[in-house]
Amino acid sequence: MIVSDHSHRYCADNGCAVDPTAFYEALWNNQNYGMCILAVIEGGADFRFLSFNQAMEISPLKTSGLTGMLLSEAFEPELVQRYHQQYNRCIQTGQTVVFEEQLTSETGDTWWRLSLYPLRDPSGKIHQLLVSTSDITAKRQAEIALEASKQVLQQVIDTLPSVIFWKDRNSQYQGCNQAFAKIAGCETVAEMIGKTDYDLPWKKEESDWFVACDRKVMAANKPELNIIEPQLQANNREAWLSTSKIPLHDANGNVSGILGIIEDITEHKHAQDEQARLLEILEATPDVVGITDLRGTHNYLNRAGQLIFGIDAEQVQQFHLSQTTSTDTANLLIEEALPVAEKTGMWSGESMLQNTLGQIVPVSHVVLCHKSEEGEPKYFSSIMRDISDRKAAEITLQKQSEELIRALQQLKETQSQIIQAEKMSSLGQMVAGIAHEINNPVNFIHGNLEPANTYVKDLLDLIDLYGKSYPDPTPDIKHALETTELDFVREDLPKLLNSMIMGTRRIREIVLSLRNFSRLDESDLKTVDIHEGIDSTLVILSHRLKADTTNGPIEIVKQYGDIPSVCCHPSQLNQVFMNILANAIDALENHPNPQIIITTQTQDHQLNIRIADNGPGMSPDVQSQIIDPFFTTKAVGKGTGMGMAISYQIITEKHGGQFLFTSEVGRGTEFSITIPIKQANCNQSAQPS
């Protein structure tokens, strides 16, 4: 019990006396507050426990046995030091000291509020301390729970993608999430408390606008949502924000502040601006740009597309791509373009559009497939460009190209003909010169062989006459007759002369063949014997027909028909015969039984000449190119590739005939030449040569 010398006090309003002893005993026995009295030892060097009330026994401190003990003896040094410090503070200040203490009990942690009251003796010296304790565990646990709830709430709003803040009625910030603190240039949320927009790095006009908007929302007690506004942030970043401001209310329903939720739409705003620019470009482009769903119905069609198809913007979404094209093109797009674009991402090609006039417009066409993040197709976009001018230019260019190709081909053929003509002319001149030079001495020899034969016969007759007249020759004559072998000379000399005559005749025939082949004076149409031209060509090639060390002789089978003289270009026909026969001889190289069959016949006023060999034949690939200029199967330097091309031109163009061939691998080749027997412009005065 507390010992005190306080005097009696009286109740002012009824004059009754109050017994202080009973008052103090009532306080001491209050079960809601634990109390104890400590004696101050040596001015606070230590403290002694004097008494504990009954309520103190429920405290986690074990008070049993503490009465009479010093503080330094009662508890652990750490707890003693903490209590000693608080007790001394009460003595030094002479004031009530209140502090809280966390104590562990059997049921868990508890929190207590300790109040220290200094008690003075009659001299005014503090000689005792009254310690009052109250259990604040429930309150403290509620505060801890509230703080934890605040922390969780703060964590929640800190993790939200939106920026959040709240202000009081004076537009002072009372809280925010970490995202807003960062934008405002603060390290922590606590730094934001109590600040206004004018304390933050916004421009003044921005702060004025923010505060005015706050007051408007609070005055109207009505939220404003998605307010689009620019903001210069702490990092000097120009941002675009979408802000929603909602009034906050107290317990009585009065507006107490404002809640702000901000979304940074800078990228979205830029994307919108970029989309607007792209849309402006798409609307301005002359190309047709469209977007369709997976079924081919348009979701978007730019102005160029609306104009070319004659539809309004409101009709676009009812417009199917099949209405823009013919059935074939629609099938192409639906069956090929869209599936390919869906599979590979893009299809490109050419298609046809049908405009409002029903005209078919050629276009270059690109189809793109746009997919979701999961890879599923969402929609298709297409770009179409009118290529009518390009197509017309391509047709013109194609025609010009074809004309150039024909001109080049004709130039090559002409050049080849000139070269071939020069070669034939040179060959003809050489052959004619040789024939002329050979012809004169051969004619001289041939013409003298007949008189020589007569002279030899006369001399032999004279010798016989001498033998009859002088049957007994002199020894010298007899010796000469024996040495000369007159009987052998008499028998062999006529044979020798006849052989020389036959040789000169053969030379004269060869010279005639050379002259017939060259025919330098017959560049115009002439009526000639075709057989002579063929035979003359064979004479020229006779050295290649004979056997050599590697090949046997080539058998020439002539199946000449009864044909009339033909009006033609003799030298050019001889050139054709030369090309075909030379190729046949080349093909028969190393063949075991080489043979060339030459057949002539007439039918329906046409002359047909066939030259066949039993060589290896030609493959289909060679046959397809045999009359192409500069195509040759011979080694480099052994053929120009122009022989068959020129032969084809001579027969078809110069003579209006047909130049055909058949060939079978392993069986041989046959060339068939058919020309009219008479030409329309043949020189009527031409005589057979």
Side-chain angles (χ1 to χ4, degrees):
M1 180 175 179
I2 302 174
V3 179
S4 177
D5 293 333
H6 291 290
S7 60
H8 296 306
R9 295 190 178 183
Y10 296 90
C11 188
D13 50 352
N14 54 21
C16 61
V18 177
D19 184 358
T21 301
F23 176 74
Y24 291 135
E25 285 182 355
L27 288 176
W28 183 258
N29 294 322
N30 190 334
Q31 295 300 313
N32 294 322
Y33 297 95
M35 294 184 184
C36 71
I37 302 296
L38 293 92
V40 178
I41 307 299
E42 297 179 0
D46 206 343
F47 300 88
R48 189 183 300 278
F49 292 101
L50 298 179
S51 178
F52 297 92
N53 72 349
Q54 187 177 0
M56 196 69 174
E57 294 178 359
I58 65 174
S59 116
L61 293 174
K62 303 300 181 181
T63 59
S64 175
L66 291 181
T67 303
M69 291 184 65
L70 294 174
L71 175 65
S72 59
E73 298 172 344
F75 305 112
E76 296 292 332
E78 181 182 355
L79 188 59
V80 170
Q81 182 180 1
R82 193 160 64 243
Y83 285 161
H84 191 279
Q85 182 180 1
Q86 296 293 345
Y87 295 164
N88 270 330
R89 187 159 65 93
C90 181
I91 295 172
Q92 292 170 2
T93 61
Q95 302 292 328
T96 300
V97 173
V98 180
F99 66 97
E100 294 181 359
E101 186 69 30
Q102 181 179 358
L103 300 174
T104 302
S105 68
E106 294 178 355
T107 60
D109 290 340
T110 61
W111 283 265
W112 298 81
R113 178 178 286 113
L114 285 74
S115 300
L116 307 178
Y117 302 96
L119 302 178
R120 300 178 185 273
D121 61 13
S123 65
K125 180 181 178 182
I126 298 175
H127 68 109
Q128 290 179 348
L129 295 178
L130 172 63
V131 180
S132 172
T133 64
S134 59
D135 188 351
I136 61 170
T137 299
K139 179 183 177 183
R140 186 60 177 160
Q141 286 177 340
E143 290 176 350
I144 292 174
L146 179 61
E147 183 63 27
S149 177
K150 287 182 179 180
Q151 290 180 358
V152 171
L153 179 61
Q154 187 67 44
Q155 289 178 357
V156 169
I157 65 174
D158 282 343
T159 56
L160 290 175
S162 300
V163 174
I164 300 174
F165 65 87
W166 54 96
K167 305 178 185 178
D168 61 15
R169 285 194 62 86
N170 297 320
S171 290
Q172 288 185 329
Y173 287 95
Q174 300 301 304
C176 65
N177 63 356
Q178 189 63 41
F180 185 81
K182 182 178 180 181
I183 292 174
C186 296
E187 293 293 333
T188 64
V189 171
E191 295 179 48
M192 289 291 301
I193 308 302
K195 290 186 177 182
T196 68
D197 288 300
Y198 295 100
D199 300 323
L200 301 178
W202 324 143
K203 297 177 182 178
K204 182 180 182 302
E205 55 270 23
E206 291 178 340
S207 298
D208 292 341
W209 195 88
F210 296 154
V211 172
C213 185
D214 294 346
R215 291 173 180 171
K216 178 182 176 183
V217 171
M218 288 188 288
N221 194 15
K222 183 179 179 181
E224 288 202 15
L225 307 177
N226 299 322
I227 307 167
I228 307 300
E229 54 192 6
Q231 183 188 73
L232 177 63
Q233 298 179 346
N235 57 2
N236 289 324
R237 175 175 176 260
E238 287 284 355
W240 282 90
L241 308 177
S242 173
T243 304
S244 296
K245 292 188 175 181
I246 304 167
L248 299 175
H249 303 85
D250 59 17
N252 298 322
N254 298 319
V255 175
S256 61
I258 191 168
L259 171 67
I261 302 174
I262 302 175
E263 291 188 17
D264 189 336
I265 61 169
T266 304
E267 293 185 3
H268 180 68
K269 186 71 166 59
H270 290 165
Q272 279 187 328
D273 294 342
E274 184 66 23
Q275 184 177 8
R277 284 193 293 270
L278 289 175
L279 185 60
E280 185 178 353
I281 293 172
L282 291 179
E283 290 298 310
T285 181
D287 294 340
V288 177
V289 181
I291 298 175
T292 66
D293 61 19
L294 300 181
R295 295 184 301 273
T297 301
H298 282 84
N299 292 330
Y300 169 78
L301 191 64
N302 69 342
R303 187 177 295 110
Q306 296 170 22
L307 290 175
I308 196 170
F309 300 128
I311 63 172
D312 298 329
E314 295 77 13
Q315 299 175 303
V316 167
Q317 294 189 351
Q318 289 80 41
F319 195 57
H320 194 269
L321 64 83
S322 61
Q323 298 172 260
T324 68
T325 62
S326 65
T327 302
D328 291 342
T329 303
N331 291 337
L332 168 69
L333 296 178
I334 294 174
E335 296 176 5
E336 177 182 333
L338 297 185
V340 170
E342 181 176 342
K343 182 178 180 180
T344 65
M346 184 184 74
W347 173 88
S348 62
E350 294 183 0
S351 61
M352 297 289 183
L353 295 183
Q354 187 171 350
N355 62 18
T356 54
L357 301 177
Q359 297 172 333
I360 300 300
V361 180
V363 293
S364 63
H365 203 156
V366 176
V367 177
L368 302 174
C369 180
H370 303 267
K371 300 182 178 180
S372 64
E373 293 181 357
E374 294 76 21
E376 294 296 325
K378 294 172 59 180
Y379 58 90
F380 295 98
S381 64
S382 62
I383 304 173
M384 292 164 278
R385 175 169 294 180
D386 186 343
I387 57 173
S388 301
D389 293 341
R390 193 188 82 186
K391 282 293 184 182
E394 287 179 354
I395 293 173
T396 302
L397 184 62
Q398 180 67 24
K399 290 181 179 179
Q400 292 176 347
S401 177
E402 292 174 356
E403 291 176 359
L404 287 174
I405 291 173
R406 285 196 296 270
L408 179 61
Q409 184 70 24
Q410 186 174 2
L411 178 62
K412 289 181 178 180
E413 292 175 357
T414 302
Q415 185 179 22
S416 299
Q417 290 178 17
I418 292 173
I419 294 172
Q420 197 73 12
E422 288 293 330
K423 290 170 60 178
M424 294 303 295
S425 176
S426 299
L427 178 61
Q429 291 177 359
M430 180 185 69
V431 169
I434 293 174
H436 177 72
E437 293 299 326
I438 294 176
N439 190 53
N440 288 336
V442 166
N443 285 338
F444 176 77
I445 295 172
H446 184 75
N448 288 327
L449 283 175
E450 290 295 337
N453 191 28
T454 301
Y455 297 156
V456 168
K457 183 179 179 182
D458 292 343
L459 289 174
L460 290 175
D461 291 340
L462 181 59
I463 291 172
D464 291 337
L465 182 59
Y466 267 97
K468 292 178 181 179
S469 301
Y470 302 98
D472 295 323
T474 64
D476 292 338
I477 293 175
K478 185 176 180 180
H479 177 70
L481 289 174
E482 292 176 356
T483 302
T484 306
E485 297 182 3
L486 182 60
D487 293 337
F488 175 77
V489 172
R490 186 193 307 275
E491 181 181 354
D492 190 58
L493 185 56
K495 294 179 180 180
L496 180 63
L497 291 175
N498 288 332
S499 176
M500 293 174 66
I501 292 172
M502 290 177 61
T504 55
R505 286 177 181 172
R506 179 58 179 157
I507 292 174
R508 291 178 68 188
E509 291 175 357
I510 292 174
V511 169
L512 181 59
S513 296
L514 291 175
R515 293 180 64 187
N516 288 337
F517 179 80
S518 62
R519 294 185 180 274
L520 291 177
D521 57 342
E522 297 177 3
S523 59
D524 294 332
L525 288 170
K526 294 289 184 180
T527 301
V528 297
D529 183 351
I530 292 298
H531 291 163
E532 287 186 0
I534 297 174
D535 292 341
S536 299
T537 305
L538 290 172
V539 170
I540 300 298
L541 295 172
S542 60
H543 67 288
R544 298 193 59 193
L545 300 173
K546 297 177 181 179
D548 55 25
T549 56
T550 58
N551 300 312
I554 298 175
E555 180 185 5
I556 301 297
V557 179
K558 298 180 181 179
Q559 297 178 349
Y560 289 171
D562 185 11
I563 63 173
S565 297
V566 178
C567 186
C568 62
H569 296 277
S571 61
Q572 294 184 11
L573 276 184
N574 290 344
Q575 184 179 349
V576 173
F577 300 150
M578 174 69 77
N579 290 333
I580 296 176
L581 288 169
N583 282 348
I585 293 171
D586 290 338
L588 292 171
E589 185 176 358
N590 299 323
H591 194 278
N593 298 302
Q595 185 183 68
I596 296 176
I597 302 174
I598 304 173
T599 305
T600 61
Q601 63 182 15
T602 58
Q603 184 177 7
D604 297 332
H605 307 290
Q606 301 280 322
L607 171 64
N608 177 251
I609 306 166
R610 298 193 304 277
I611 302 176
D613 64 69
N614 61 345
M618 296 183 290
S619 67
D621 182 59
V622 172
Q623 293 183 46
S624 65
Q625 305 177 75
I626 191 65
I627 61 174
D628 291 345
F630 306 106
F631 173 78
T632 180
T633 59
K634 299 177 182 178
V636 177
K638 292 189 175 181
T640 63
M642 291 302 300
M644 291 296 102
I646 292 175
S647 298
Y648 178 82
Q649 187 179 22
I650 290 173
I651 298 302
T652 58
E653 295 182 13
K654 294 292 186 179
H655 293 85
Q658 289 184 329
F659 185 87
L660 305 174
F661 63 89
T662 57
S663 183
E664 184 178 350
V665 176
R667 299 292 297 273
T669 301
E670 179 180 87
F671 283 88
S672 175
I673 299 169
T674 302
I675 60 174
I677 294 176
K678 293 183 178 180
Q679 298 288 335
N681 56 346
C682 186
N683 186 358
Q684 297 299 323
S685 61
Q687 298 296 326
S689 42

